[in-house]
């Protein structure tokens, strides 16, 4: 039994719907509060506080509203996916069915399959939105207004992008991977955690397990948000597999700034300077 099912208060399906939203605001909210109210993490920033303030063009209130709108859309689709509709068009009540959970190795395999499916879906959709001038200008540019990414803005996307890349990517991954709702809840919560971490702009040389295990990290994605790196590092959210296979991978290094903090530098820029 999963921890959230103790006492039968929350079903696996309910956790899969609402869990990622809770994870998002807890993790992104932590970064937002700490970074805006103290200099506690300044020594780990990929961009200085001054640069972040100068290049952040969207008020935080607008970002929060945009993310909440996207999450409402995702929760609505997830609710219909899990609970379906009656013939009259109203949502039906969930039927409590005892689902036999697979072994842990099978769950891990299913999660890896879901990661690959979602990476594949998002890579090609993401890359196309960059190469199609209309889609980039009217859809994807809303996310790239952040030259300096930040945690709260991880899911600040145009509704069309939210639907096509994030929501449908998850819907496609579910039947292919064969995950049960319990495993799906874990998968979506982790995917949300990873998305926030990729945009947090905070590089921990030690201690952040996500940044150690996944080379597709906040520094990797920071390169993509830079003006000179916008045609590279499309892979999201888990592995840089497709970037490396299809030649859109931009090698980078994370260097210490003399004034404190870090910066992600493209290797080709370092070569030009030498």
């Amino acid at each position: 039994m999963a921890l959230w099912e103790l006492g039968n208060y929350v079903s696996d399906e309910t956790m899969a719907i609402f869990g990622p939203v809770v994870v998002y605001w807890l993790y992104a909210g932590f970064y937002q509060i700490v970074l805006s109210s103290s200099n506690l993490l300044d020594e780990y920033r990929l961009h200085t506080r001054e640069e972040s303030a100068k290049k952040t063009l969207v008020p935080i209130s607008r970002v929060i509203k945009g993310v909440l709108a996207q999450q409402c859309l995702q929760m609505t689709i997830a609710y219909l996916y899990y609970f379906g509709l009656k013939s009259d068009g109203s949502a039906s009540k969930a039927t409590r069915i005892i689902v036999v959970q697979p072994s842990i190795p099978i769950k891990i395999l299913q999660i890896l399959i879901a990661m690959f499916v979602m990476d594949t879906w998002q890579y090609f959709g993401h890359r196309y939105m960059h190469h199609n001038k209309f889609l980039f200008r009217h859809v994807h540019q809303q996310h790239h207004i952040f030259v300096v990414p930040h945690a709260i803005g991880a899911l600040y996307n145009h509704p069309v992008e939210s639907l096509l890349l994030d929501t449908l990517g998850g819907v496609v991954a579910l039947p292919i991977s064969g995950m049960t709702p319990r495993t799906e809840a874990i998968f979506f919560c982790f995917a949300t955690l990873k998305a926030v971490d990729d945009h947090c702009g905070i590089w921990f040389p030690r201690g952040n397990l996500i940044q150690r295990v996944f080379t597709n990290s906040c520094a990797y994605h920071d390169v993509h948000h830079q003006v000179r790196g916008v045609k590279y590092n499309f892979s999201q959210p888990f592995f840089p597999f497709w970037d490396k296979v299809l030649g859109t991978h931009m090698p980078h290094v994370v260097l210490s700034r003399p004034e404190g903090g870090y910066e992600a530098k493209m290797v080709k820029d370092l070569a030009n300077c030498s």
Side-chain angles (χ1 to χ4, degrees):
M1 177 177 289
L3 179 62
W4 56 79
E5 278 208 321
L6 293 177
N8 288 323
Y9 292 118
V10 180
S11 67
D12 292 334
E13 293 84 357
T14 302
M15 188 65 183
I17 296 170
F18 296 101
V21 177
V22 174
V23 168
Y24 187 91
W25 291 109
L26 286 177
Y27 196 36
F30 163 77
Y31 277 118
Q32 181 65 30
I33 292 171
V34 172
L35 292 175
S36 62
S37 62
S38 72
N39 59 0
L40 186 63
L41 297 180
D42 282 5
E43 62 180 305
Y44 303 109
R45 285 177 176 266
L46 287 174
H47 298 269
T48 65
R49 184 180 290 272
E50 293 72 25
E51 183 183 9
S52 297
K54 180 180 180 180
K55 294 183 178 181
T56 300
L57 306 178
V58 182
I60 191 64
S61 59
R62 180 177 166 186
V63 174
I64 291 174
K65 291 177 182 177
V67 173
L68 285 173
Q70 172 175 333
Q71 290 175 328
C72 286
L73 174 64
Q74 289 178 333
M75 286 189 291
T76 299
I77 294 175
Y79 183 83
L80 295 176
Y81 176 87
Y82 284 114
F83 299 125
L85 293 173
K86 294 180 180 179
S87 58
D88 62 1
S90 60
S92 61
K93 293 183 179 180
T95 301
R96 299 287 292 183
I97 300 175
I98 297 176
V99 177
V100 177
Q101 300 296 326
S103 64
I104 292 179
I106 294 299
K107 287 184 177 181
I108 293 174
L109 177 61
Q110 290 172 335
I111 288 174
L112 290 175
I113 292 173
M115 285 179 171
F116 178 75
V117 172
M118 185 172 284
D119 275 353
T120 301
W121 182 276
Q122 293 208 7
Y123 174 85
F124 288 100
H126 184 195
R127 182 174 177 175
Y128 184 70
M129 285 190 176
H130 274 269
H131 287 278
N132 184 295
K133 293 182 179 179
F134 177 85
L135 286 177
F136 184 80
R137 184 180 301 113
H138 297 284
V139 177
H140 190 51
Q141 194 171 36
Q142 176 170 323
H143 183 70
H144 271 273
I145 197 169
F146 298 120
V147 178
V148 177
H150 60 79
I152 290 288
L155 294 184
Y156 182 68
N157 302 317
H158 190 281
V160 171
E161 177 176 350
S162 171
L163 177 63
L164 295 181
L165 290 191
D166 299 328
T167 306
L168 291 186
V171 170
V172 170
L174 299 188
I176 295 178
S177 64
M179 294 184 293
T180 64
R182 181 169 302 176
T183 308
E184 290 165 2
I186 296 170
F187 172 73
F188 285 128
C189 285
F190 179 73
T192 300
L193 194 74
K194 180 68 168 57
V196 172
D197 201 83
D198 287 349
H199 292 81
C200 69
I202 301 297
W203 176 257
F204 292 106
R206 296 176 299 276
N208 186 319
L209 188 60
I210 295 176
Q211 294 176 8
R212 301 281 69 77
V213 173
F214 295 89
T215 57
N216 186 351
S217 63
C218 63
Y220 188 94
H221 198 62
D222 186 80
V223 169
H224 176 70
H225 274 262
Q226 295 176 22
V227 175
R228 285 171 49 77
V230 74
K231 295 296 184 182
Y232 303 95
N233 293 9
F234 297 112
S235 293
Q236 57 183 37
F238 300 109
F239 302 104
F241 172 79
W242 287 112
D243 274 323
K244 292 184 176 181
V245 169
L246 297 178
T248 53
H249 173 67
M250 174 55 67
H252 69 281
V253 294
V254 180
L255 303 174
S256 298
R257 286 196 306 265
E259 66 273 24
Y262 297 92
E263 60 180 334
K265 297 285 290 185
M266 290 177 277
V267 170
K268 69 175 185 178
D269 287 346
L270 295 176
N272 293 335
C273 294
S274 61

